[in-house]
Amino acid sequence: MKLSQYLGVNLDIKRDDLTGLALGGNKTRKLEFILGNALQQGCNTVITAGAVQSNHCRQTAAAAAMLGLECHLVLGGTRPKNAQGNVLLNQLFGAHVHWAGVHRKGEDIPELVKSLAASGRLPYVVPYGGSNALGALAYYHAAHELSQQIARGSAKDESKNGVASKQYSHIIFASSSGGTHAGLSLGNKAYACANKVIGINIDKTESAIRFSKRIAYMANEAAELAMSDVRIRADEIHLNDNYLGEGYAVVGNAERNAIKLMASIEGILLDPVYSGRAFAGLIDMADKGEIPKGSDVLFWHTGGVPALFAYSDSVLSD
Ligand SMILES: *Cc1c(COP(=O)(O)O)cnc(C)c1O
């Protein structure tokens, strides 16, 4: 990629912004497993929660529409004046939106479950960000997919039964509710795609130590579901806390520059909340030599692009 030259590292991008399901993103892989479970249980209504511009909620609403499930979204904040980005899409998918004010993490879900059950529905709660053992399992399999892509890409790995040699020095991505991080860390231990899997922390809601423990726990639950013997410890989870900026979804210079750089050099869109912040982290780590020059780096693009339209002012301002 042309950006490689600019950064001084060999950059590849895993395009999970192109996973499909209503403009793509990392929740597609998770929802395949989670909503499979909902259908298995005979549920007919799904409930989940998120921030105003939650990509997870938008993709859940789309998947529910596809599967003929009623969808309830508990969104933080208040109804915006202009329905833009994911807010617009939620409406098109026919989701029932409940505005929850300061509660953006589903604090109001138990009450909603009660009232929906009382009215005869069979509700299924999709966890915040789709992060549980099933969501992590999806990203464990995604690591396997990557290892096969690596193996196909270089003949010398063919003797290894599809298990890649340590092709990348780093895999970098946005980490927020931790399911992606859990699955990729576990999957990398099983399939050896990279020397280091680093999640750029997007939303500081707990200490790095607690978050890493929770990620490792989710990963090991996913390992059990996958019937894998691989287990991971919290000290093997790499979480970079240096790019939290002014807080969750506050767009700063770093995010703006990363978005403009990727768009203007590669014609690829990043989002202002997740992938833009994570890529800004990658740029800075390459600048500082934390990622050594000449490294083979994989940026795992987790999607989020619809949110761009809701942040046009802060993305364009200088
Ligand atoms: C949800 C989301 C993430 C974070 O993934 P988690 O598994 O919740 O950590 C990253 N990028 C985008 C665009 C997202 O929507």
Side-chain angles (χ1 to χ4, degrees):
M1 318 190 75
K2 283 183 286 169
L3 249 186
S4 297
Q5 215 171 355
Y6 181 93
L7 298 171
V9 300
N10 304 315
L11 180 71
D12 282 346
I13 302 181
K14 179 78 168 147
R15 298 293 303 273
D16 273 12
D17 56 324
L18 302 179
T19 47
L21 188 61
L23 301 178
N26 64 340
K27 306 311 181 303
T28 308
R29 292 182 192 267
K30 295 174 169 193
L31 288 165
E32 182 176 356
F33 286 79
I34 294 169
L35 294 187
N37 183 241
L39 293 178
Q40 224 168 31
Q41 293 187 13
C43 297
N44 58 17
T45 300
V46 296
I47 306 169
T48 199
V52 180
Q53 284 293 335
S54 167
N55 302 297
H56 163 66
C57 288
R58 175 248 314 165
Q59 292 205 278
T60 301
M66 276 177 71
L67 297 170
L69 302 168
E70 188 172 303
C71 179
H72 291 260
L73 302 176
V74 180
L75 297 184
T78 51
R79 183 187 301 278
K81 276 196 219 95
N82 295 318
Q84 249 304 2
N86 290 311
V87 174
L88 166 65
L89 302 183
N90 294 337
Q91 285 190 27
L92 297 182
F93 300 130
H96 303 264
V97 177
H98 308 263
W99 293 100
V102 292
H103 296 167
R104 70 174 160 100
K105 302 227 159 169
E107 292 87 338
D108 301 342
I109 282 182
E111 216 163 304
L112 186 58
V113 169
K114 259 192 233 159
S115 78
L116 289 171
S119 65
R121 288 154 174 106
L122 301 166
Y124 182 96
V125 176
V126 177
Y128 186 77
S131 284
N132 61 7
L134 288 169
L137 180 63
Y139 269 89
Y140 170 79
H141 288 303
H144 180 244
E145 177 186 297
L146 175 65
S147 75
Q148 290 184 314
Q149 288 175 320
I150 293 170
R152 277 202 300 276
S154 58
K156 63 179 188 294
D157 291 331
E158 265 168 26
S159 60
K160 297 188 179 171
N161 263 340
V163 175
S165 61
K166 289 193 184 265
Q167 171 84 11
Y168 290 102
S169 67
H170 299 75
I171 295 175
I172 309 274
F173 57 95
S175 184
S176 175
S177 65
T180 304
H181 205 159
L184 288 183
S185 300
L186 181 78
N188 191 55
K189 204 164 172 185
Y191 302 115
C193 302
N195 287 315
K196 225 168 176 186
V197 169
I198 303 177
I200 305 294
N201 199 3
I202 299 299
D203 181 11
K204 190 182 179 74
T205 49
E206 59 196 324
S207 73
I209 291 175
R210 272 193 59 174
F211 190 31
S212 298
K213 277 189 184 159
R214 213 156 53 73
I215 290 170
Y217 187 83
M218 247 190 290
N220 292 331
E221 283 185 314
E224 281 183 31
L225 291 176
M227 291 186 274
S228 160
D229 295 332
V230 177
R231 293 292 181 276
I232 199 159
R233 300 184 312 269
D235 65 359
E236 296 173 295
I237 302 293
H238 303 292
L239 180 73
N240 188 324
D241 252 347
N242 294 336
Y243 303 103
L244 290 158
E246 300 292 310
Y248 177 77
V250 182
V251 184
N253 278 330
E255 290 84 11
R256 266 191 290 279
N257 292 338
I259 291 169
K260 287 179 189 166
L261 190 70
M262 181 69 88
S264 60
I265 295 186
E266 296 291 348
I268 293 175
L269 299 172
L270 299 171
D271 83 278
V273 181
Y274 298 96
S275 53
R277 178 164 287 180
F279 196 68
L282 189 158
I283 294 170
D284 188 61
M285 290 166 78
D287 270 356
K288 289 185 173 144
E290 285 171 34
I291 299 173
K293 295 291 169 217
S295 300
D296 295 309
V297 180
L298 181 86
F299 179 65
W300 201 304
H301 192 327
T302 48
V305 174
L308 255 183
F309 301 98
Y311 286 87
S312 57
D313 288 347
S314 45
V315 169
L316 291 178
S317 77
D318 284 306

mmCIF file of all heavy atoms in Angstrom, residues 26-27 30 55 129 131 174-180 271 274 302-304, ligand 1:
data_model
loop_
_atom_site.group_PDB
_atom_site.id
_atom_site.type_symbol
_atom_site.label_atom_id
_atom_site.label_comp_id
_atom_site.label_asym_id
_atom_site.label_seq_id
_atom_site.Cartn_x
_atom_site.Cartn_y
_atom_site.Cartn_z
ATOM 1 N N ASN A 26 -17.244 -4.979 12.527
ATOM 2 C CA ASN A 26 -16.844 -6.195 13.231
ATOM 3 C C ASN A 26 -18.016 -6.915 13.897
ATOM 4 O O ASN A 26 -17.898 -8.062 14.292
ATOM 5 C CB ASN A 26 -15.734 -5.902 14.250
ATOM 6 C CG ASN A 26 -16.155 -4.981 15.376
ATOM 7 O OD1 ASN A 26 -17.132 -4.244 15.252
ATOM 8 N ND2 ASN A 26 -15.418 -5.008 16.464
ATOM 9 N N LYS A 27 -19.173 -6.249 14.035
ATOM 10 C CA LYS A 27 -20.290 -6.921 14.706
ATOM 11 C C LYS A 27 -20.939 -7.988 13.816
ATOM 12 O O LYS A 27 -21.660 -8.842 14.322
ATOM 13 C CB LYS A 27 -21.326 -5.897 15.183
ATOM 14 C CG LYS A 27 -20.753 -4.777 16.076
ATOM 15 C CD LYS A 27 -19.889 -5.306 17.194
ATOM 16 C CE LYS A 27 -19.302 -4.264 18.144
ATOM 17 N NZ LYS A 27 -18.485 -3.202 17.549
ATOM 18 N N LYS A 30 -19.689 -11.365 14.967
ATOM 19 C CA LYS A 30 -20.200 -11.706 16.306
ATOM 20 C C LYS A 30 -21.674 -12.086 16.252
ATOM 21 O O LYS A 30 -22.111 -13.055 16.863
ATOM 22 C CB LYS A 30 -20.043 -10.503 17.238
ATOM 23 C CG LYS A 30 -18.612 -10.087 17.521
ATOM 24 C CD LYS A 30 -18.658 -8.807 18.341
ATOM 25 C CE LYS A 30 -17.323 -8.421 18.916
ATOM 26 N NZ LYS A 30 -17.474 -7.380 19.941
ATOM 27 N N ASN A 55 -22.425 1.324 16.283
ATOM 28 C CA ASN A 55 -22.414 0.465 15.091
ATOM 29 C C ASN A 55 -22.992 -0.893 15.421
ATOM 30 O O ASN A 55 -23.619 -1.542 14.575
ATOM 31 C CB ASN A 55 -20.982 0.288 14.588
ATOM 32 C CG ASN A 55 -20.334 1.606 14.256
ATOM 33 O OD1 ASN A 55 -20.787 2.301 13.358
ATOM 34 N ND2 ASN A 55 -19.285 1.976 14.992
ATOM 35 N N GLY A 129 -22.024 -4.410 22.873
ATOM 36 C CA GLY A 129 -20.936 -4.604 21.894
ATOM 37 C C GLY A 129 -20.843 -6.018 21.336
ATOM 38 O O GLY A 129 -19.897 -6.347 20.628
ATOM 39 N N SER A 131 -20.120 -8.509 23.002
ATOM 40 C CA SER A 131 -18.932 -9.096 23.617
ATOM 41 C C SER A 131 -19.304 -10.083 24.715
ATOM 42 O O SER A 131 -19.629 -9.695 25.838
ATOM 43 C CB SER A 131 -18.011 -8.002 24.155
ATOM 44 O OG SER A 131 -17.326 -7.409 23.071
ATOM 45 N N ALA A 174 -9.026 -1.486 17.020
ATOM 46 C CA ALA A 174 -9.737 -0.757 18.074
ATOM 47 C C ALA A 174 -10.394 -1.741 19.037
ATOM 48 O O ALA A 174 -11.092 -2.656 18.610
ATOM 49 C CB ALA A 174 -10.805 0.131 17.444
ATOM 50 N N SER A 175 -10.180 -1.521 20.340
ATOM 51 C CA SER A 175 -10.762 -2.398 21.358
ATOM 52 C C SER A 175 -11.649 -1.581 22.282
ATOM 53 O O SER A 175 -11.234 -0.553 22.805
ATOM 54 C CB SER A 175 -9.643 -3.059 22.164
ATOM 55 O OG SER A 175 -10.172 -3.971 23.100
ATOM 56 N N SER A 176 -12.891 -2.050 22.452
ATOM 57 C CA SER A 176 -13.800 -1.261 23.281
ATOM 58 C C SER A 176 -14.566 -2.123 24.280
ATOM 59 O O SER A 176 -14.399 -1.982 25.491
ATOM 60 C CB SER A 176 -14.748 -0.485 22.368
ATOM 61 O OG SER A 176 -15.706 0.200 23.114
ATOM 62 N N SER A 177 -15.410 -3.028 23.794
ATOM 63 C CA SER A 177 -16.072 -3.909 24.763
ATOM 64 C C SER A 177 -15.322 -5.233 24.903
ATOM 65 O O SER A 177 -15.669 -6.050 25.751
ATOM 66 C CB SER A 177 -17.543 -4.130 24.387
ATOM 67 O OG SER A 177 -17.671 -4.817 23.170
ATOM 68 N N GLY A 178 -14.302 -5.443 24.094
ATOM 69 C CA GLY A 178 -13.314 -6.496 24.362
ATOM 70 C C GLY A 178 -13.498 -7.829 23.646
ATOM 71 O O GLY A 178 -12.593 -8.663 23.664
ATOM 72 N N GLY A 179 -14.633 -8.041 22.994
ATOM 73 C CA GLY A 179 -14.857 -9.338 22.356
ATOM 74 C C GLY A 179 -13.920 -9.604 21.180
ATOM 75 O O GLY A 179 -13.419 -10.720 21.016
ATOM 76 N N THR A 180 -13.695 -8.577 20.397
ATOM 77 C CA THR A 180 -12.779 -8.697 19.268
ATOM 78 C C THR A 180 -11.371 -9.008 19.776
ATOM 79 O O THR A 180 -10.686 -9.908 19.291
ATOM 80 C CB THR A 180 -12.770 -7.376 18.456
ATOM 81 O OG1 THR A 180 -14.113 -7.083 18.069
ATOM 82 C CG2 THR A 180 -11.892 -7.465 17.239
ATOM 83 N N ASP A 271 -13.530 5.435 10.684
ATOM 84 C CA ASP A 271 -14.583 6.148 11.413
ATOM 85 C C ASP A 271 -13.982 6.996 12.528
ATOM 86 O O ASP A 271 -12.850 6.782 12.939
ATOM 87 C CB ASP A 271 -15.601 5.147 11.988
ATOM 88 C CG ASP A 271 -15.131 4.554 13.299
ATOM 89 O OD1 ASP A 271 -14.343 3.598 13.267
ATOM 90 O OD2 ASP A 271 -15.504 5.075 14.365
ATOM 91 N N TYR A 274 -13.775 4.714 16.434
ATOM 92 C CA TYR A 274 -13.011 3.471 16.656
ATOM 93 C C TYR A 274 -11.807 3.339 15.726
ATOM 94 O O TYR A 274 -10.659 3.467 16.158
ATOM 95 C CB TYR A 274 -13.934 2.254 16.483
ATOM 96 C CG TYR A 274 -15.069 2.205 17.475
ATOM 97 C CD1 TYR A 274 -16.328 2.704 17.145
ATOM 98 C CD2 TYR A 274 -14.888 1.661 18.744
ATOM 99 C CE1 TYR A 274 -17.381 2.644 18.045
ATOM 100 C CE2 TYR A 274 -15.931 1.604 19.651
ATOM 101 C CZ TYR A 274 -17.174 2.102 19.291
ATOM 102 O OH TYR A 274 -18.211 2.058 20.190
ATOM 103 N N THR A 302 -12.111 -2.403 11.756
ATOM 104 C CA THR A 302 -13.315 -2.947 12.384
ATOM 105 C C THR A 302 -14.599 -2.257 11.904
ATOM 106 O O THR A 302 -15.676 -2.553 12.410
ATOM 107 C CB THR A 302 -13.208 -2.833 13.911
ATOM 108 O OG1 THR A 302 -12.790 -1.492 14.219
ATOM 109 C CG2 THR A 302 -12.193 -3.829 14.468
ATOM 110 N N GLY A 303 -14.477 -1.315 10.975
ATOM 111 C CA GLY A 303 -15.680 -0.700 10.390
ATOM 112 C C GLY A 303 -16.054 0.622 11.048
ATOM 113 O O GLY A 303 -15.186 1.403 11.426
ATOM 114 N N GLY A 304 -17.343 0.872 11.126
ATOM 115 C CA GLY A 304 -17.819 2.099 11.794
ATOM 116 C C GLY A 304 -18.089 3.269 10.876
ATOM 117 O O GLY A 304 -18.498 4.342 11.331
HETATM 118 C C1 LIG B 1 -17.679 -2.237 18.379
HETATM 119 C C2 LIG B 1 -16.588 -1.677 17.556
HETATM 120 C C3 LIG B 1 -15.236 -1.876 17.904
HETATM 121 C C4 LIG B 1 -14.797 -2.520 19.167
HETATM 122 O O1 LIG B 1 -14.967 -3.919 19.174
HETATM 123 P P1 LIG B 1 -15.163 -4.618 20.593
HETATM 124 O O2 LIG B 1 -15.253 -6.060 20.266
HETATM 125 O O3 LIG B 1 -16.405 -4.038 21.171
HETATM 126 O O4 LIG B 1 -13.985 -4.295 21.450
HETATM 127 C C5 LIG B 1 -14.267 -1.392 17.056
HETATM 128 N N1 LIG B 1 -14.595 -0.724 15.935
HETATM 129 C C6 LIG B 1 -15.873 -0.511 15.575
HETATM 130 C C7 LIG B 1 -16.147 0.255 14.342
HETATM 131 C C8 LIG B 1 -16.911 -0.960 16.381
HETATM 132 O O5 LIG B 1 -18.176 -0.715 16.030
#
